[in-house]
Amino acid sequence: MPRLAQNTAPAHNGPGRSELLAPKQLPVLNELLVLNQEIIACTRCPRLVAHRKKMGQVKRRAYLEWDYWAKPVPGFGDPDAHLLILGLAPGAHGSNRTGRPFTGDGSGNFMYPILHQAGFASQPTATHRGDGLRLLDAYITAAVRCAPPENKPSPEEIAACAPYLDREFAALRNVKVVVVLGKIAFDAYLNYLKRRGELKSKAAFLFGHGETYKLPHGHTLLCSYHPSLQNTLTGKLTKKMFLDVFKKAKKLIAVEPGTKEELRKPGNLAEFFEASPLRGSKLKVPRRNDQPRKIDL
């Protein structure tokens, strides 16, 4: 039975999320909902518009009965997230079909079981909107919102999406850790910091899987290879490598100032770090300049 694309896609974890939010949290959700409606209606890049629509018409044999989303794909997750995951762009027969990031393709099939194991997703599967998946303290977005030919957006297309990324990051006020998936996402995040005046130069940053940088404004940047089939099927990115990134993210969130009370439960990482000799380690050392600090955990 075909699953039909809807006219809108949620900015949050699903129906009823707004009912679970405190009144002070509703403005964040509303900002994201308004932003995502603008993203869905975007036609800034003629090449991308043509490609995503074409993929929705040609389809893949396995999905001939699907009504493809074939529009820009908005972000998805918890508006109060401490973890932000930044990817590249929708897959032509994945997110471009389902309308939700990393849903319905090989990359998502690799990623969501890892997020579930690390405690950032309610279930290990992501097949379609409405499948019950919720992100836990995490939000997923992308540098480019439309599926690009050969998964290669142009610099101009990345720049056209940048204002959406700026507004999204501004709305996600609780983010402490940013995981970038691949070099394009890495560059997109550093360019965002430069636009905000929080970073003068990218020269001190080198992309590599597992690289970790403490940023001047208090966020931590974690790098990962993209979970594309090209990387996962060749062994360039293994499940253990990917899980280690999100375990590290979990640890960093637990020790970040201002989040311990929210995460304080018997036996969790916040309790451990409260009493751990790791408190007061080099993670806490203040910086005298605006240079990033590479850290190893």
Side-chain angles (χ1 to χ4, degrees), residues 185-206 213-219 221 287 289-294:
F186 174 76
D187 287 334
Y189 184 66
L190 295 184
N191 286 334
Y192 157 75
L193 296 180
K194 289 190 70 176
R195 289 192 298 274
R196 285 182 56 85
E198 296 178 2
L199 187 67
K200 293 180 180 178
S201 171
K202 298 190 292 183
F205 294 85
L206 296 176
Y213 296 93
K214 190 73 174 178
L215 300 171
H217 61 297
H219 289 181
L221 173 62
R287 298 287 288 174
N289 54 45
D290 65 349
Q291 293 300 308
R293 181 156 49 96
K294 183 177 175 180

PDB file of all heavy atoms in Angstrom, residues 185-206 213-219 221 287 289-294:
ATOM      1  N   ALA A 185      29.295  19.409   5.552  1.00  0.00           N
ATOM      2  CA  ALA A 185      28.609  19.849   6.765  1.00  0.00           C
ATOM      3  C   ALA A 185      29.585  20.560   7.705  1.00  0.00           C
ATOM      4  O   ALA A 185      29.236  21.556   8.347  1.00  0.00           O
ATOM      5  CB  ALA A 185      27.961  18.658   7.467  1.00  0.00           C
ATOM      6  N   PHE A 186      30.794  20.041   7.796  1.00  0.00           N
ATOM      7  CA  PHE A 186      31.853  20.656   8.606  1.00  0.00           C
ATOM      8  C   PHE A 186      32.098  22.093   8.162  1.00  0.00           C
ATOM      9  O   PHE A 186      32.097  23.035   8.975  1.00  0.00           O
ATOM     10  CB  PHE A 186      33.114  19.801   8.440  1.00  0.00           C
ATOM     11  CG  PHE A 186      34.363  20.330   9.070  1.00  0.00           C
ATOM     12  CD1 PHE A 186      34.574  20.253  10.437  1.00  0.00           C
ATOM     13  CD2 PHE A 186      35.376  20.866   8.291  1.00  0.00           C
ATOM     14  CE1 PHE A 186      35.746  20.713  11.021  1.00  0.00           C
ATOM     15  CE2 PHE A 186      36.557  21.335   8.858  1.00  0.00           C
ATOM     16  CZ  PHE A 186      36.736  21.253  10.231  1.00  0.00           C
ATOM     17  N   ASP A 187      32.282  22.288   6.866  1.00  0.00           N
ATOM     18  CA  ASP A 187      32.517  23.633   6.343  1.00  0.00           C
ATOM     19  C   ASP A 187      31.298  24.531   6.534  1.00  0.00           C
ATOM     20  O   ASP A 187      31.429  25.731   6.813  1.00  0.00           O
ATOM     21  CB  ASP A 187      32.880  23.561   4.862  1.00  0.00           C
ATOM     22  CG  ASP A 187      34.281  23.021   4.635  1.00  0.00           C
ATOM     23  OD1 ASP A 187      35.136  23.167   5.536  1.00  0.00           O
ATOM     24  OD2 ASP A 187      34.531  22.443   3.562  1.00  0.00           O
ATOM     25  N   ALA A 188      30.097  23.959   6.364  1.00  0.00           N
ATOM     26  CA  ALA A 188      28.875  24.751   6.522  1.00  0.00           C
ATOM     27  C   ALA A 188      28.754  25.286   7.939  1.00  0.00           C
ATOM     28  O   ALA A 188      28.346  26.435   8.149  1.00  0.00           O
ATOM     29  CB  ALA A 188      27.654  23.911   6.161  1.00  0.00           C
ATOM     30  N   TYR A 189      29.112  24.476   8.926  1.00  0.00           N
ATOM     31  CA  TYR A 189      29.012  24.931  10.315  1.00  0.00           C
ATOM     32  C   TYR A 189      30.069  25.995  10.625  1.00  0.00           C
ATOM     33  O   TYR A 189      29.780  27.009  11.274  1.00  0.00           O
ATOM     34  CB  TYR A 189      29.154  23.764  11.285  1.00  0.00           C
ATOM     35  CG  TYR A 189      28.967  24.185  12.720  1.00  0.00           C
ATOM     36  CD1 TYR A 189      27.732  24.648  13.158  1.00  0.00           C
ATOM     37  CD2 TYR A 189      30.018  24.156  13.633  1.00  0.00           C
ATOM     38  CE1 TYR A 189      27.546  25.075  14.472  1.00  0.00           C
ATOM     39  CE2 TYR A 189      29.850  24.570  14.940  1.00  0.00           C
ATOM     40  CZ  TYR A 189      28.608  25.031  15.350  1.00  0.00           C
ATOM     41  OH  TYR A 189      28.434  25.453  16.643  1.00  0.00           O
ATOM     42  N   LEU A 190      31.289  25.806  10.136  1.00  0.00           N
ATOM     43  CA  LEU A 190      32.330  26.806  10.376  1.00  0.00           C
ATOM     44  C   LEU A 190      31.993  28.124   9.678  1.00  0.00           C
ATOM     45  O   LEU A 190      32.239  29.203  10.223  1.00  0.00           O
ATOM     46  CB  LEU A 190      33.678  26.289   9.888  1.00  0.00           C
ATOM     47  CG  LEU A 190      34.238  25.064  10.622  1.00  0.00           C
ATOM     48  CD1 LEU A 190      35.622  24.718  10.089  1.00  0.00           C
ATOM     49  CD2 LEU A 190      34.289  25.282  12.130  1.00  0.00           C
ATOM     50  N   ASN A 191      31.409  28.044   8.499  1.00  0.00           N
ATOM     51  CA  ASN A 191      30.996  29.270   7.798  1.00  0.00           C
ATOM     52  C   ASN A 191      29.880  29.982   8.556  1.00  0.00           C
ATOM     53  O   ASN A 191      29.816  31.221   8.568  1.00  0.00           O
ATOM     54  CB  ASN A 191      30.545  28.934   6.379  1.00  0.00           C
ATOM     55  CG  ASN A 191      31.718  28.598   5.477  1.00  0.00           C
ATOM     56  OD1 ASN A 191      32.839  29.042   5.708  1.00  0.00           O
ATOM     57  ND2 ASN A 191      31.466  27.798   4.448  1.00  0.00           N
ATOM     58  N   TYR A 192      29.006  29.215   9.191  1.00  0.00           N
ATOM     59  CA  TYR A 192      27.968  29.808  10.042  1.00  0.00           C
ATOM     60  C   TYR A 192      28.612  30.598  11.182  1.00  0.00           C
ATOM     61  O   TYR A 192      28.206  31.739  11.480  1.00  0.00           O
ATOM     62  CB  TYR A 192      27.060  28.710  10.586  1.00  0.00           C
ATOM     63  CG  TYR A 192      26.320  29.071  11.842  1.00  0.00           C
ATOM     64  CD1 TYR A 192      25.226  29.937  11.816  1.00  0.00           C
ATOM     65  CD2 TYR A 192      26.709  28.549  13.075  1.00  0.00           C
ATOM     66  CE1 TYR A 192      24.552  30.273  12.980  1.00  0.00           C
ATOM     67  CE2 TYR A 192      26.040  28.873  14.235  1.00  0.00           C
ATOM     68  CZ  TYR A 192      24.964  29.740  14.183  1.00  0.00           C
ATOM     69  OH  TYR A 192      24.305  30.071  15.336  1.00  0.00           O
ATOM     70  N   LEU A 193      29.619  30.010  11.817  1.00  0.00           N
ATOM     71  CA  LEU A 193      30.303  30.704  12.909  1.00  0.00           C
ATOM     72  C   LEU A 193      30.994  31.971  12.419  1.00  0.00           C
ATOM     73  O   LEU A 193      31.014  32.988  13.108  1.00  0.00           O
ATOM     74  CB  LEU A 193      31.321  29.768  13.562  1.00  0.00           C
ATOM     75  CG  LEU A 193      30.763  28.522  14.265  1.00  0.00           C
ATOM     76  CD1 LEU A 193      31.905  27.698  14.854  1.00  0.00           C
ATOM     77  CD2 LEU A 193      29.767  28.895  15.352  1.00  0.00           C
ATOM     78  N   LYS A 194      31.547  31.927  11.208  1.00  0.00           N
ATOM     79  CA  LYS A 194      32.187  33.125  10.644  1.00  0.00           C
ATOM     80  C   LYS A 194      31.151  34.208  10.366  1.00  0.00           C
ATOM     81  O   LYS A 194      31.405  35.393  10.627  1.00  0.00           O
ATOM     82  CB  LYS A 194      32.929  32.760   9.360  1.00  0.00           C
ATOM     83  CG  LYS A 194      34.196  31.935   9.578  1.00  0.00           C
ATOM     84  CD  LYS A 194      35.010  31.813   8.306  1.00  0.00           C
ATOM     85  CE  LYS A 194      35.646  33.134   7.924  1.00  0.00           C
ATOM     86  NZ  LYS A 194      36.513  33.001   6.733  1.00  0.00           N
ATOM     87  N   ARG A 195      29.988  33.825   9.850  1.00  0.00           N
ATOM     88  CA  ARG A 195      28.946  34.824   9.589  1.00  0.00           C
ATOM     89  C   ARG A 195      28.501  35.504  10.875  1.00  0.00           C
ATOM     90  O   ARG A 195      28.138  36.681  10.875  1.00  0.00           O
ATOM     91  CB  ARG A 195      27.740  34.162   8.909  1.00  0.00           C
ATOM     92  CG  ARG A 195      27.982  33.743   7.479  1.00  0.00           C
ATOM     93  CD  ARG A 195      26.686  33.378   6.773  1.00  0.00           C
ATOM     94  NE  ARG A 195      25.987  32.250   7.353  1.00  0.00           N
ATOM     95  CZ  ARG A 195      26.213  30.978   7.056  1.00  0.00           C
ATOM     96  NH1 ARG A 195      27.161  30.661   6.179  1.00  0.00           N
ATOM     97  NH2 ARG A 195      25.503  30.018   7.617  1.00  0.00           N
ATOM     98  N   ARG A 196      28.526  34.786  11.969  1.00  0.00           N
ATOM     99  CA  ARG A 196      28.117  35.337  13.257  1.00  0.00           C
ATOM    100  C   ARG A 196      29.231  36.130  13.932  1.00  0.00           C
ATOM    101  O   ARG A 196      29.020  36.728  14.986  1.00  0.00           O
ATOM    102  CB  ARG A 196      27.673  34.205  14.192  1.00  0.00           C
ATOM    103  CG  ARG A 196      26.312  33.645  13.851  1.00  0.00           C
ATOM    104  CD  ARG A 196      25.919  32.555  14.848  1.00  0.00           C
ATOM    105  NE  ARG A 196      25.939  33.027  16.221  1.00  0.00           N
ATOM    106  CZ  ARG A 196      24.939  33.650  16.825  1.00  0.00           C
ATOM    107  NH1 ARG A 196      23.824  33.898  16.148  1.00  0.00           N
ATOM    108  NH2 ARG A 196      25.024  34.025  18.082  1.00  0.00           N
ATOM    109  N   GLY A 197      30.408  36.105  13.366  1.00  0.00           N
ATOM    110  CA  GLY A 197      31.528  36.801  13.975  1.00  0.00           C
ATOM    111  C   GLY A 197      32.143  36.060  15.136  1.00  0.00           C
ATOM    112  O   GLY A 197      32.932  36.628  15.894  1.00  0.00           O
ATOM    113  N   GLU A 198      31.819  34.778  15.303  1.00  0.00           N
ATOM    114  CA  GLU A 198      32.346  33.985  16.405  1.00  0.00           C
ATOM    115  C   GLU A 198      33.634  33.254  16.024  1.00  0.00           C
ATOM    116  O   GLU A 198      34.252  32.604  16.866  1.00  0.00           O
ATOM    117  CB  GLU A 198      31.294  32.982  16.877  1.00  0.00           C
ATOM    118  CG  GLU A 198      30.054  33.643  17.461  1.00  0.00           C
ATOM    119  CD  GLU A 198      28.993  32.652  17.887  1.00  0.00           C
ATOM    120  OE1 GLU A 198      29.243  31.443  17.759  1.00  0.00           O
ATOM    121  OE2 GLU A 198      27.928  33.092  18.354  1.00  0.00           O
ATOM    122  N   LEU A 199      33.998  33.336  14.762  1.00  0.00           N
ATOM    123  CA  LEU A 199      35.189  32.670  14.286  1.00  0.00           C
ATOM    124  C   LEU A 199      35.825  33.549  13.216  1.00  0.00           C
ATOM    125  O   LEU A 199      35.162  33.966  12.264  1.00  0.00           O
ATOM    126  CB  LEU A 199      34.823  31.302  13.692  1.00  0.00           C
ATOM    127  CG  LEU A 199      35.968  30.383  13.284  1.00  0.00           C
ATOM    128  CD1 LEU A 199      36.743  29.917  14.508  1.00  0.00           C
ATOM    129  CD2 LEU A 199      35.410  29.172  12.532  1.00  0.00           C
ATOM    130  N   LYS A 200      37.115  33.838  13.374  1.00  0.00           N
ATOM    131  CA  LYS A 200      37.802  34.698  12.413  1.00  0.00           C
ATOM    132  C   LYS A 200      38.379  33.913  11.243  1.00  0.00           C
ATOM    133  O   LYS A 200      38.424  34.387  10.125  1.00  0.00           O
ATOM    134  CB  LYS A 200      38.911  35.470  13.120  1.00  0.00           C
ATOM    135  CG  LYS A 200      38.401  36.486  14.135  1.00  0.00           C
ATOM    136  CD  LYS A 200      39.550  37.222  14.804  1.00  0.00           C
ATOM    137  CE  LYS A 200      39.033  38.238  15.805  1.00  0.00           C
ATOM    138  NZ  LYS A 200      40.152  38.935  16.501  1.00  0.00           N
ATOM    139  N   SER A 201      38.845  32.697  11.534  1.00  0.00           N
ATOM    140  CA  SER A 201      39.496  31.893  10.507  1.00  0.00           C
ATOM    141  C   SER A 201      39.206  30.418  10.729  1.00  0.00           C
ATOM    142  O   SER A 201      39.078  29.962  11.871  1.00  0.00           O
ATOM    143  CB  SER A 201      41.014  32.132  10.534  1.00  0.00           C
ATOM    144  OG  SER A 201      41.683  31.230   9.689  1.00  0.00           O
ATOM    145  N   LYS A 202      39.142  29.663   9.635  1.00  0.00           N
ATOM    146  CA  LYS A 202      38.946  28.214   9.706  1.00  0.00           C
ATOM    147  C   LYS A 202      40.275  27.465   9.678  1.00  0.00           C
ATOM    148  O   LYS A 202      40.289  26.234   9.686  1.00  0.00           O
ATOM    149  CB  LYS A 202      38.068  27.745   8.545  1.00  0.00           C
ATOM    150  CG  LYS A 202      36.672  28.330   8.537  1.00  0.00           C
ATOM    151  CD  LYS A 202      35.777  27.639   7.522  1.00  0.00           C
ATOM    152  CE  LYS A 202      36.198  27.917   6.108  1.00  0.00           C
ATOM    153  NZ  LYS A 202      35.281  27.313   5.111  1.00  0.00           N
ATOM    154  N   ALA A 203      41.379  28.200   9.659  1.00  0.00           N
ATOM    155  CA  ALA A 203      42.692  27.589   9.458  1.00  0.00           C
ATOM    156  C   ALA A 203      43.052  26.575  10.548  1.00  0.00           C
ATOM    157  O   ALA A 203      43.771  25.606  10.290  1.00  0.00           O
ATOM    158  CB  ALA A 203      43.768  28.668   9.380  1.00  0.00           C
ATOM    159  N   ALA A 204      42.556  26.787  11.766  1.00  0.00           N
ATOM    160  CA  ALA A 204      42.917  25.901  12.877  1.00  0.00           C
ATOM    161  C   ALA A 204      42.101  24.618  12.897  1.00  0.00           C
ATOM    162  O   ALA A 204      42.375  23.724  13.703  1.00  0.00           O
ATOM    163  CB  ALA A 204      42.744  26.636  14.206  1.00  0.00           C
ATOM    164  N   PHE A 205      41.127  24.500  12.018  1.00  0.00           N
ATOM    165  CA  PHE A 205      40.238  23.337  11.999  1.00  0.00           C
ATOM    166  C   PHE A 205      40.604  22.411  10.848  1.00  0.00           C
ATOM    167  O   PHE A 205      40.685  22.836   9.692  1.00  0.00           O
ATOM    168  CB  PHE A 205      38.779  23.773  11.818  1.00  0.00           C
ATOM    169  CG  PHE A 205      38.229  24.553  12.966  1.00  0.00           C
ATOM    170  CD1 PHE A 205      38.421  25.916  13.048  1.00  0.00           C
ATOM    171  CD2 PHE A 205      37.502  23.927  13.969  1.00  0.00           C
ATOM    172  CE1 PHE A 205      37.895  26.650  14.099  1.00  0.00           C
ATOM    173  CE2 PHE A 205      36.974  24.645  15.020  1.00  0.00           C
ATOM    174  CZ  PHE A 205      37.175  26.013  15.093  1.00  0.00           C
ATOM    175  N   LEU A 206      40.792  21.145  11.158  1.00  0.00           N
ATOM    176  CA  LEU A 206      41.025  20.124  10.154  1.00  0.00           C
ATOM    177  C   LEU A 206      39.967  19.039  10.306  1.00  0.00           C
ATOM    178  O   LEU A 206      39.759  18.522  11.415  1.00  0.00           O
ATOM    179  CB  LEU A 206      42.423  19.519  10.299  1.00  0.00           C
ATOM    180  CG  LEU A 206      43.606  20.465  10.060  1.00  0.00           C
ATOM    181  CD1 LEU A 206      44.923  19.744  10.348  1.00  0.00           C
ATOM    182  CD2 LEU A 206      43.599  20.987   8.630  1.00  0.00           C
ATOM    183  N   TYR A 213      36.547  19.659  18.737  1.00  0.00           N
ATOM    184  CA  TYR A 213      37.019  21.019  18.979  1.00  0.00           C
ATOM    185  C   TYR A 213      36.112  21.723  19.981  1.00  0.00           C
ATOM    186  O   TYR A 213      34.890  21.740  19.812  1.00  0.00           O
ATOM    187  CB  TYR A 213      37.043  21.831  17.685  1.00  0.00           C
ATOM    188  CG  TYR A 213      38.018  21.316  16.657  1.00  0.00           C
ATOM    189  CD1 TYR A 213      37.601  20.423  15.676  1.00  0.00           C
ATOM    190  CD2 TYR A 213      39.349  21.716  16.667  1.00  0.00           C
ATOM    191  CE1 TYR A 213      38.489  19.950  14.721  1.00  0.00           C
ATOM    192  CE2 TYR A 213      40.248  21.250  15.719  1.00  0.00           C
ATOM    193  CZ  TYR A 213      39.814  20.365  14.753  1.00  0.00           C
ATOM    194  OH  TYR A 213      40.688  19.893  13.803  1.00  0.00           O
ATOM    195  N   LYS A 214      36.730  22.308  20.991  1.00  0.00           N
ATOM    196  CA  LYS A 214      36.019  23.168  21.925  1.00  0.00           C
ATOM    197  C   LYS A 214      36.019  24.565  21.333  1.00  0.00           C
ATOM    198  O   LYS A 214      37.081  25.145  21.098  1.00  0.00           O
ATOM    199  CB  LYS A 214      36.695  23.162  23.291  1.00  0.00           C
ATOM    200  CG  LYS A 214      35.886  23.831  24.385  1.00  0.00           C
ATOM    201  CD  LYS A 214      34.702  22.979  24.801  1.00  0.00           C
ATOM    202  CE  LYS A 214      33.978  23.598  25.995  1.00  0.00           C
ATOM    203  NZ  LYS A 214      32.809  22.797  26.374  1.00  0.00           N
ATOM    204  N   LEU A 215      34.839  25.132  21.093  1.00  0.00           N
ATOM    205  CA  LEU A 215      34.729  26.409  20.407  1.00  0.00           C
ATOM    206  C   LEU A 215      34.657  27.572  21.392  1.00  0.00           C
ATOM    207  O   LEU A 215      34.227  27.401  22.546  1.00  0.00           O
ATOM    208  CB  LEU A 215      33.493  26.394  19.511  1.00  0.00           C
ATOM    209  CG  LEU A 215      33.515  25.295  18.433  1.00  0.00           C
ATOM    210  CD1 LEU A 215      32.176  25.212  17.729  1.00  0.00           C
ATOM    211  CD2 LEU A 215      34.624  25.559  17.436  1.00  0.00           C
ATOM    212  N   PRO A 216      35.039  28.756  20.956  1.00  0.00           N
ATOM    213  CA  PRO A 216      35.085  29.913  21.865  1.00  0.00           C
ATOM    214  C   PRO A 216      33.746  30.241  22.504  1.00  0.00           C
ATOM    215  O   PRO A 216      33.713  30.743  23.623  1.00  0.00           O
ATOM    216  CB  PRO A 216      35.555  31.054  20.948  1.00  0.00           C
ATOM    217  CG  PRO A 216      36.294  30.386  19.844  1.00  0.00           C
ATOM    218  CD  PRO A 216      35.591  29.084  19.618  1.00  0.00           C
ATOM    219  N   HIS A 217      32.628  29.994  21.794  1.00  0.00           N
ATOM    220  CA  HIS A 217      31.322  30.369  22.341  1.00  0.00           C
ATOM    221  C   HIS A 217      30.725  29.284  23.224  1.00  0.00           C
ATOM    222  O   HIS A 217      29.568  29.369  23.619  1.00  0.00           O
ATOM    223  CB  HIS A 217      30.364  30.723  21.207  1.00  0.00           C
ATOM    224  CG  HIS A 217      30.099  29.596  20.251  1.00  0.00           C
ATOM    225  ND1 HIS A 217      31.079  29.033  19.480  1.00  0.00           N
ATOM    226  CD2 HIS A 217      28.968  28.931  19.956  1.00  0.00           C
ATOM    227  CE1 HIS A 217      30.571  28.079  18.733  1.00  0.00           C
ATOM    228  NE2 HIS A 217      29.296  27.982  19.007  1.00  0.00           N
ATOM    229  N   GLY A 218      31.493  28.231  23.527  1.00  0.00           N
ATOM    230  CA  GLY A 218      31.042  27.225  24.482  1.00  0.00           C
ATOM    231  C   GLY A 218      30.548  25.936  23.878  1.00  0.00           C
ATOM    232  O   GLY A 218      30.399  24.942  24.595  1.00  0.00           O
ATOM    233  N   HIS A 219      30.260  25.912  22.585  1.00  0.00           N
ATOM    234  CA  HIS A 219      29.844  24.670  21.948  1.00  0.00           C
ATOM    235  C   HIS A 219      31.048  23.762  21.711  1.00  0.00           C
ATOM    236  O   HIS A 219      32.193  24.217  21.698  1.00  0.00           O
ATOM    237  CB  HIS A 219      29.159  24.948  20.610  1.00  0.00           C
ATOM    238  CG  HIS A 219      27.806  25.580  20.755  1.00  0.00           C
ATOM    239  ND1 HIS A 219      27.012  25.898  19.673  1.00  0.00           N
ATOM    240  CD2 HIS A 219      27.107  25.951  21.850  1.00  0.00           C
ATOM    241  CE1 HIS A 219      25.892  26.434  20.099  1.00  0.00           C
ATOM    242  NE2 HIS A 219      25.927  26.485  21.417  1.00  0.00           N
ATOM    243  N   LEU A 221      32.420  20.944  18.884  1.00  0.00           N
ATOM    244  CA  LEU A 221      32.241  20.429  17.531  1.00  0.00           C
ATOM    245  C   LEU A 221      32.847  19.040  17.436  1.00  0.00           C
ATOM    246  O   LEU A 221      34.033  18.842  17.750  1.00  0.00           O
ATOM    247  CB  LEU A 221      32.914  21.368  16.525  1.00  0.00           C
ATOM    248  CG  LEU A 221      32.970  20.905  15.063  1.00  0.00           C
ATOM    249  CD1 LEU A 221      31.573  20.723  14.494  1.00  0.00           C
ATOM    250  CD2 LEU A 221      33.780  21.888  14.228  1.00  0.00           C
ATOM    251  N   ARG A 287      39.937  30.021  27.972  1.00  0.00           N
ATOM    252  CA  ARG A 287      40.830  30.440  26.906  1.00  0.00           C
ATOM    253  C   ARG A 287      41.015  31.952  26.935  1.00  0.00           C
ATOM    254  O   ARG A 287      40.117  32.705  27.283  1.00  0.00           O
ATOM    255  CB  ARG A 287      40.254  30.025  25.553  1.00  0.00           C
ATOM    256  CG  ARG A 287      40.115  28.515  25.390  1.00  0.00           C
ATOM    257  CD  ARG A 287      41.449  27.845  25.201  1.00  0.00           C
ATOM    258  NE  ARG A 287      41.996  28.121  23.885  1.00  0.00           N
ATOM    259  CZ  ARG A 287      43.208  27.741  23.519  1.00  0.00           C
ATOM    260  NH1 ARG A 287      44.001  27.126  24.343  1.00  0.00           N
ATOM    261  NH2 ARG A 287      43.636  28.015  22.297  1.00  0.00           N
ATOM    262  N   ASN A 289      41.997  33.607  24.107  1.00  0.00           N
ATOM    263  CA  ASN A 289      41.741  34.135  22.766  1.00  0.00           C
ATOM    264  C   ASN A 289      40.564  33.405  22.158  1.00  0.00           C
ATOM    265  O   ASN A 289      39.905  32.614  22.808  1.00  0.00           O
ATOM    266  CB  ASN A 289      43.001  33.990  21.892  1.00  0.00           C
ATOM    267  CG  ASN A 289      43.511  32.547  21.885  1.00  0.00           C
ATOM    268  OD1 ASN A 289      42.733  31.622  21.749  1.00  0.00           O
ATOM    269  ND2 ASN A 289      44.816  32.389  22.038  1.00  0.00           N
ATOM    270  N   ASP A 290      40.309  33.693  20.887  1.00  0.00           N
ATOM    271  CA  ASP A 290      39.133  33.133  20.232  1.00  0.00           C
ATOM    272  C   ASP A 290      39.462  31.908  19.397  1.00  0.00           C
ATOM    273  O   ASP A 290      38.694  31.504  18.546  1.00  0.00           O
ATOM    274  CB  ASP A 290      38.438  34.186  19.359  1.00  0.00           C
ATOM    275  CG  ASP A 290      39.316  34.636  18.185  1.00  0.00           C
ATOM    276  OD1 ASP A 290      40.520  34.286  18.181  1.00  0.00           O
ATOM    277  OD2 ASP A 290      38.781  35.329  17.293  1.00  0.00           O
ATOM    278  N   GLN A 291      40.618  31.294  19.644  1.00  0.00           N
ATOM    279  CA  GLN A 291      41.017  30.139  18.858  1.00  0.00           C
ATOM    280  C   GLN A 291      40.295  28.875  19.369  1.00  0.00           C
ATOM    281  O   GLN A 291      40.068  28.728  20.566  1.00  0.00           O
ATOM    282  CB  GLN A 291      42.523  29.929  18.934  1.00  0.00           C
ATOM    283  CG  GLN A 291      43.308  31.030  18.265  1.00  0.00           C
ATOM    284  CD  GLN A 291      42.960  31.144  16.797  1.00  0.00           C
ATOM    285  OE1 GLN A 291      42.986  30.163  16.068  1.00  0.00           O
ATOM    286  NE2 GLN A 291      42.616  32.347  16.368  1.00  0.00           N
ATOM    287  N   PRO A 292      39.968  27.967  18.458  1.00  0.00           N
ATOM    288  CA  PRO A 292      39.363  26.716  18.888  1.00  0.00           C
ATOM    289  C   PRO A 292      40.383  25.863  19.639  1.00  0.00           C
ATOM    290  O   PRO A 292      41.588  26.019  19.455  1.00  0.00           O
ATOM    291  CB  PRO A 292      38.965  26.058  17.568  1.00  0.00           C
ATOM    292  CG  PRO A 292      39.955  26.573  16.592  1.00  0.00           C
ATOM    293  CD  PRO A 292      40.186  27.997  17.007  1.00  0.00           C
ATOM    294  N   ARG A 293      39.906  24.974  20.437  1.00  0.00           N
ATOM    295  CA  ARG A 293      40.797  24.100  21.180  1.00  0.00           C
ATOM    296  C   ARG A 293      40.468  22.663  20.839  1.00  0.00           C
ATOM    297  O   ARG A 293      39.343  22.192  21.075  1.00  0.00           O
ATOM    298  CB  ARG A 293      40.614  24.332  22.678  1.00  0.00           C
ATOM    299  CG  ARG A 293      41.509  23.484  23.556  1.00  0.00           C
ATOM    300  CD  ARG A 293      41.703  24.153  24.889  1.00  0.00           C
ATOM    301  NE  ARG A 293      40.434  24.569  25.450  1.00  0.00           N
ATOM    302  CZ  ARG A 293      39.744  23.850  26.333  1.00  0.00           C
ATOM    303  NH1 ARG A 293      40.191  22.683  26.694  1.00  0.00           N
ATOM    304  NH2 ARG A 293      38.608  24.279  26.813  1.00  0.00           N
ATOM    305  N   LYS A 294      41.392  21.958  20.233  1.00  0.00           N
ATOM    306  CA  LYS A 294      41.170  20.557  19.908  1.00  0.00           C
ATOM    307  C   LYS A 294      41.306  19.751  21.187  1.00  0.00           C
ATOM    308  O   LYS A 294      42.261  19.918  21.957  1.00  0.00           O
ATOM    309  CB  LYS A 294      42.189  20.094  18.871  1.00  0.00           C
ATOM    310  CG  LYS A 294      41.995  18.666  18.416  1.00  0.00           C
ATOM    311  CD  LYS A 294      43.001  18.328  17.329  1.00  0.00           C
ATOM    312  CE  LYS A 294      42.902  16.875  16.948  1.00  0.00           C
ATOM    313  NZ  LYS A 294      43.864  16.499  15.905  1.00  0.00           N
TER     314      LYS A 294
END
